[in-house]
Amino acid sequence: MLYSRTKGGTARVKIINVVGARPNFMKMAPIIDAMNRYPKQIRHLLIHTGQHYDEKMSKAFFDDLGMPKPDIDLGIGSGSQAEQTGKIMIAFERVCLTERPDLVIVVGDVNSTMACTITAKKLGIKVAHVEAGLRSRDMSMPEEINRLCTDVLCDHLYTTDRIANENLRKEGVAEDKIHFVGNVMIDTLLKHKQMASQLDLRQALGLESDGYATLTLHRPSNVDDRQVLQGIFEALREISSDLPVVFPIHPRTRKMVSEFNLGHYFNENKPVAGIWLTEPLGYLEFLHLNMQAKMVLTDSGGLQEETTVLGVPCLTMRNNTERPITCEMGTNVMVGNQPSEILTQAKKVLSGESKPSRIPEKWDGHAAERIVGHILETCCTWQTGDEARI
Ligand code: UD1
């Protein structure tokens, strides 16, 4: 390992933390916070690949989460799967060659996660993956390919639950690489819950507590096919006649709605009624609305976990999930993308039928501390006495 040396001669481990897309930011924020407690042991840089670049998909989250400005923004932007991945690899290789980190940390399952893992490993740099071992077993999802490639290469695999540990074992991963630390996304949720509850957005929109649903939709399998997307909107229109639906629309989905001419399903004006379309919301605003929603309809990964902890019913419009613990223990129900099943399950929630929810093990707000504790143990063992704080 290439331990960096400060002027005083103290050895510090140099870490590059990578983020790229919206769901990465809330996972990295608590890790940075935890690292900041060990300035003598850890020097860290934040690299944003720029996979997500819109103010509302990126900067708003940095502000809400109190994250430092990235030290380096690769400014990659959108592109095809290969184009985006390739551009990230080329740009990240230059960063690694200049910065020569001891460790790269990647989170989640987006293209930036996989691209930076491959790049760093080929340069002989150790890589740690946060949220390792999740598997949907659906190879039509770009994220599943990203998860598999990332986990097979990484040196440290930090997992959110025991199912993920088992997945990795079955794939032949050595036991000493698997570290069950809990869920960093839940660290962020628990930290911000109170702040979010104090916002007045719900009242400003004229919504009653428990009197509306929230909706997110962006998976290619749901939004890239006109018939599928229209079927989902038909079901949602029916739900919204009983319960207004707040829909902060993802840029990918907005593009498809306009291409397929489906704008007539939405209300973009106040008062909030029917399916109410709005720009992507900030982290705190969306958490605030989700906390008091009657139900959440989604195809996102992270929301399945957040609703489990909030105890809010979640209908996931997919046929599989890489997060089965949210169905086993939490409020999550897989409803696919066919209108009839979406409606059946939504009506159950509307009639007061909902699953009891238990909080998975180690989803307790301390996952990032466990990760940094492990890094200090494995990378900073040469430090003794006052210098070591663990
Ligand atoms: C990506 C992740 C997905 C994650 C999602 C969260 C991959 C393969 N997918 O999907 O796992 O759940 O982010 O949002 O990494 N766009 C903008 N502005 C932006 C970002 C995207 O306009 O700031 C538009 C572009 O038209 C782009 C499209 O959205 O072509 C898709 O963006 P991309 O990053 O490729 O994938 P997502 O669908 O956002």
Side-chain angles (χ1 to χ4, degrees), residues 185-381:
M185 194 159 199
I186 301 306
D187 289 8
T188 296
L189 182 145
L190 295 177
K191 180 177 171 189
H192 292 89
K193 215 173 134 186
Q194 209 203 333
M195 220 187 294
S197 71
Q198 286 162 356
L199 300 185
D200 58 9
L201 178 64
R202 178 183 60 73
Q203 280 160 306
L205 293 173
L207 295 166
E208 297 289 327
S209 176
D210 225 25
Y212 61 94
T214 59
L215 164 69
T216 77
L217 201 59
H218 75 282
R219 296 260 159 240
S221 55
N222 283 337
V223 307
D224 287 3
D225 180 304
R226 187 180 203 280
Q227 221 183 330
V228 171
L229 188 58
Q230 189 163 10
I232 293 175
F233 288 156
E234 283 291 336
L236 292 168
R237 180 151 67 184
E238 199 167 328
I239 296 166
S240 74
S241 61
D242 291 314
L243 194 71
V245 176
V246 178
F247 184 18
I249 193 164
H250 189 286
R252 162 193 278 278
T253 312
R254 190 181 274 285
K255 205 163 63 180
M256 300 319 288
V257 163
S258 137
E259 199 170 299
F260 298 149
N261 248 317
L262 297 174
H264 55 278
Y265 281 95
F266 311 116
N267 166 27
E268 292 207 48
N269 305 312
K270 286 184 196 159
V272 174
I275 308 174
W276 184 68
L277 201 71
T278 176
E279 289 298 309
L281 295 170
Y283 178 79
L284 290 172
E285 289 177 326
F286 198 44
L287 174 57
H288 161 81
L289 289 183
N290 288 333
M291 283 166 75
Q292 298 180 45
K294 178 89 183 162
M295 72 179 103
V296 171
L297 296 132
T298 191
D299 61 5
S300 127
L303 259 175
Q304 299 172 51
E305 298 178 339
E306 291 172 330
T307 45
T308 278
V309 172
L310 295 173
V312 173
C314 177
L315 303 188
T316 299
M317 294 176 284
R318 289 172 47 190
N319 295 318
N320 50 58
T321 179
E322 61 289 337
R323 293 163 161 91
I325 198 146
T326 60
C327 298
E328 283 173 23
M329 293 186 69
T331 54
N332 192 18
V333 179
M334 306 304 292
V335 299
N337 59 14
Q338 296 307 305
S340 58
E341 187 59 11
I342 298 173
L343 274 172
T344 306
Q345 295 298 335
K347 281 181 184 157
K348 280 192 189 169
V349 177
L350 278 168
S351 67
E353 217 183 287
S354 62
K355 289 170 71 190
S357 175
R358 283 171 301 143
I359 305 213
E361 193 183 352
K362 295 195 188 177
W363 291 21
D364 58 0
H366 300 291
E369 284 163 34
R370 291 185 194 104
I371 290 169
V372 173
H374 175 259
I375 291 170
L376 289 168
E377 260 169 40
T378 50
C379 300
C380 303
T381 41

Side-chain angles (χ1 to χ4, degrees), residues 21-23 51-54 57 78 81 84 109-111 142-143 146 218-219 250-252 255:
R22 186 170 62 174
Q51 177 175 344
H52 282 179
Y53 46 88
D54 281 355
M57 297 295 285
S78 302
Q81 293 288 323
Q84 193 173 56
D109 57 15
V110 301
N111 287 341
E143 294 82 0
N146 293 341
H218 75 282
R219 296 260 159 240
H250 189 286
R252 162 193 278 278
K255 205 163 63 180

Side-chain angles (χ1 to χ4, degrees), residues 1 101-105 120-121 124-128 154-156 379:
M1 261 197 195
D102 304 307
L103 178 70
V104 168
I105 299 190
K121 282 308 291 179
I125 300 164
K126 290 207 182 300
V127 185
C154 277
D155 302 275
H156 304 299
C379 300

